[in-house]
Amino acid sequence: MERCRGRVSALLFGSRAAGRHGAASDFDIIVVLPRYEDYFGEAAEIGRMCRGVPLDLLLYSLGVFAIDGVVAKMLENCLALFDGLGLGVCRQAEPGGTIQRST
């Protein structure tokens, strides 16, 4: 996020956002960047920042991010971990709040 100067949004969706996760649940996260040159390079960098965390990542550039169809369904109970792009599509995470790794 530093490299993006805060112009990034990270949205948690799925069982953890809905509060229905179990011990084996991963973290489903959509990251939206203003743009990127290399999808796999960006995804690998995010993966390195989240090392040790079970993560399913979807990466979008702002120009192609659309809330329709499958994406709209995924975001029904989403939680904005950080919304530097001001998408405003998810409820905000509590400042200093924690997300449990398992129940």
Side-chain angles (χ1 to χ4, degrees):
M1 284 194 252
E2 273 183 30
R3 187 167 43 97
C4 297
R5 294 183 171 86
R7 299 225 355 105
V8 60
S9 291
L11 313 174
L12 179 70
F13 67 98
S15 62
R16 288 199 180 266
R20 296 180 279 104
H21 60 283
S25 296
D26 60 3
F27 290 83
D28 301 305
I29 297 178
I30 292 176
V31 173
V32 183
L33 300 169
R35 63 182 176 78
Y36 55 82
E37 301 285 324
D38 175 13
Y39 178 93
F40 295 106
E42 292 290 345
E45 179 66 23
I46 293 166
R48 282 189 290 276
M49 290 188 301
C50 299
R51 190 168 316 171
V53 175
L55 180 70
D56 276 341
L57 174 69
L58 298 173
L59 181 62
Y60 288 91
S61 66
L62 187 57
V64 300
F65 181 67
I67 304 166
D68 56 13
V70 173
V71 173
K73 185 70 175 165
M74 290 185 320
L75 294 178
E76 283 181 353
N77 294 305
C78 67
L79 181 65
L81 303 174
F82 186 81
D83 195 9
L85 294 173
L87 299 175
V89 298
C90 302
R91 67 188 192 281
Q92 289 294 124
E94 294 287 326
T98 59
I99 299 171
Q100 300 298 318
R101 289 188 67 144
S102 63
T103 56

